[in-house]
Amino acid sequence: MSALPMTATGKILKRELAHPPPARLDLRRRNMPNFSDFNLNIYLNGLNGEKPRYPVTCGDLEALAAEKLDPVLYDYVAGGAGDEATQRGNVTAFERWGIVPRMFSGAAERDLSVELFGRRYPTPLMMAPIGVVGIMHESRHGDLEVAKAAAATGVPMVASTLTQDPMEDVAVALGDTPGFYQLYTPNDRELAESFVRRAEAAGYAGIVVTLDTWSLGWRPRDLRHASMPQLQGLCLANYFSDPVFRSRLEKTPEKDPAAATFAWALTFGNPALSWDDLAWLRGLTGLPLLLKGICHPDDVRRARDGGVDGIYCSNHGGRQAASAPALDFLPAVVAAAEGMPVIFDSGVRTGVDVVKALALGATAVAVGRPYGWGITLGGAAGAEHVLRCLLAEADLTMGLNGYRSIADLSPDVLVRVP
């Protein structure tokens, strides 16, 4: 269907509004027009026959990314543990909550900013770590593309241990936006300490220790292909560039990449890691320390007593083990945290999901696969588009339902839906 002819009114609107001031587009600034202006801009651009360059829903993003990615890599990213019921449940769990509208609330302007570890962030969004995002972009520098999207939007990136570029290069690309470093704790303590020291020196704002990946989960899609990217030497830049790791090798990774990859396989993961090791982890850094994968209130209390600064409630997007949907764990985790920051991910696909997680007590909400599909389709620009879509929808959801700020969101604004 061809575009409708532009009316005189449309021409005036386009002339006056199609080129908004920079503040309209810069997510890093506070005291700015609402994030939902992105929604209006799409319609205004449509007056000139311009449609969004990338899809605006996660399903459409994934469908296009699936056409572009190698099928083996697509299955690695899209797949989950076992029959993938946990992965599906993470997404559908949001449908069991509805938002109660409140009218006459004066919510024409909204404040989506949050405070986290002494910093004020313009949005409650974060980008969760994706261990293969480095190879999801055609440049094979997807981690740098994610960092550029973070720099452009102010949405923090949680950089994985498993990156295609060293953490220092990723940190430079972040610009003024703080990043967090996600640690897969190796079974070599000196190597773990080296990773943390490097993250500190590179300027990361916190360390996120992932607890549920000391071994690979049962992933039928990957087993069907008998394929794992890291065993092909991919996304191991942090290891191959690390002086401690390199000191363990007879030959450098450049001279014998196969041997270096085998050494990684013997080093990755620490099945013996336990609560007895928390004091050691806490002692590694003065940066905020978060534990990722905490879902039980008793574990929250043990972490809090051990000096942890934040909880990252997540079941790894359903990729590692079968469990209940992660969203079902969130209220009890928040209650046990007693005011300690709680970051949530797993199953977040829309801006409405973001609002619901915030209402259930999350301090910040991390998104994973959706921005990964954006990286595949358009690098930093694709990921930035995804973030803007999520923020616009979250902003509109709050405004149209009558909530002016995240402080207005609480479990009372939600009802259970049969």
Side-chain angles (χ1 to χ4, degrees):
M1 180 181 296
S2 61
L4 293 173
M6 186 179 295
T7 64
T9 301
K11 292 178 181 178
I12 293 172
L13 282 171
K14 181 179 183 297
R15 183 177 68 246
E16 297 298 324
L17 298 175
H19 301 289
R24 183 185 299 271
L25 299 177
D26 187 353
L27 305 189
R28 295 171 296 180
R29 293 182 58 180
R30 298 189 63 205
N31 302 319
M32 57 171 288
N34 295 318
F35 292 118
S36 60
D37 287 352
F38 178 75
N39 185 50
L40 176 61
N41 288 343
I42 291 177
Y43 289 116
L44 293 176
N45 290 334
L47 294 174
N48 198 35
E50 180 182 342
K51 296 181 180 179
R53 184 177 180 183
Y54 309 106
V56 298
T57 68
C58 182
D60 289 344
L61 285 163
E62 180 175 353
L64 285 183
E67 295 177 3
K68 191 169 184 179
L69 286 174
D70 176 86
V72 176
L73 178 57
Y74 169 75
D75 272 350
Y76 183 88
V77 178
D83 62 2
E84 299 185 351
T86 299
Q87 181 172 289
R88 294 191 298 273
N90 282 341
V91 175
T92 59
F94 286 94
E95 298 173 4
R96 298 200 295 270
W97 293 100
I99 300 171
V100 180
R102 301 298 302 272
M103 297 297 102
F104 278 140
S105 60
E109 295 181 359
R110 277 83 63 189
D111 180 7
L112 271 65
S113 65
V114 298
E115 186 168 330
L116 191 63
F117 308 121
R119 296 176 187 248
R120 197 76 188 174
Y121 292 85
T123 85
L125 273 186
M126 301 179 74
M127 286 184 279
I130 300 178
V132 293
V133 75
I135 57 173
M136 289 177 68
H137 187 250
E138 57 193 1
S139 69
R140 291 296 179 101
H141 294 289
D143 302 290
L144 299 181
E145 294 297 311
V146 177
K148 292 174 185 176
T153 63
V155 175
M157 169 193 189
V158 184
S160 175
T161 297
L162 300 172
T163 55
Q164 187 71 357
D165 287 281
M167 67 177 84
E168 292 84 358
D169 294 352
V170 175
V172 170
L174 285 168
D176 295 331
T177 299
F180 291 78
Y181 178 71
Q182 175 251 2
L183 176 69
Y184 283 129
T185 309
N187 57 29
D188 183 330
R189 282 200 170 196
E190 287 187 30
L191 178 58
E193 292 175 11
S194 181
F195 282 159
V196 172
R197 297 284 179 265
R198 290 172 61 191
E200 288 178 327
Y204 286 91
I207 305 296
V208 179
V209 181
T210 294
L211 301 175
D212 60 9
T213 314
W214 48 265
S215 178
L216 285 179
W218 181 258
R219 301 179 188 172
R221 293 205 210 191
D222 299 337
L223 292 168
R224 180 178 66 210
H225 297 301
S227 176
M228 181 182 174
Q230 289 78 18
L231 289 178
Q232 301 168 32
L234 299 170
C235 305
L236 299 181
N238 284 325
Y239 290 84
F240 291 175
S241 63
D242 191 88
V244 173
F245 183 81
R246 293 171 72 92
S247 73
R248 307 293 196 251
L249 305 174
E250 293 184 4
K251 296 181 180 179
T252 65
E254 296 78 16
K255 292 184 177 180
D256 195 343
T261 300
F262 183 69
W264 166 81
L266 296 178
T267 303
F268 180 81
N270 188 349
L273 203 66
S274 73
W275 288 109
D276 293 336
D277 298 298
L278 180 55
W280 165 68
L281 285 167
R282 174 66 281 180
L284 288 180
T285 182
L287 292 175
L289 183 71
L290 295 83
L291 298 186
K292 183 175 185 288
I294 296 288
C295 295
H296 194 285
D298 288 348
D299 290 343
V300 175
R301 286 185 278 268
R302 292 196 70 168
R304 190 186 64 219
D305 293 344
V308 167
D309 299 290
I311 298 297
Y312 195 135
C313 179
S314 165
N315 65 9
H316 215 106
R319 290 177 58 77
Q320 274 298 91
S323 78
L327 192 68
D328 293 348
F329 303 132
L330 181 57
V333 165
V334 169
E338 296 185 357
M340 184 167 55
V342 175
I343 297 170
F344 174 82
D345 79 17
S346 296
V348 177
R349 298 292 182 269
T350 69
V352 179
D353 295 344
V354 173
V355 173
K356 291 177 181 179
L358 292 169
L360 289 173
T363 311
V365 180
V367 62
R369 289 182 180 92
Y371 87 78
W373 305 136
I375 289 293
T376 294
L377 296 179
E384 183 178 345
H385 171 85
V386 172
L387 296 174
R388 293 186 187 279
C389 288
L390 290 168
L391 287 166
E393 186 180 14
D395 186 33
L396 280 169
T397 299
M398 289 177 59
L400 293 174
N401 281 300
Y403 300 101
R404 291 179 292 179
S405 71
I406 292 173
D408 293 336
L409 301 177
S410 69
D412 292 339
V413 313
L414 301 178
V415 293
R416 293 290 287 186
V417 179

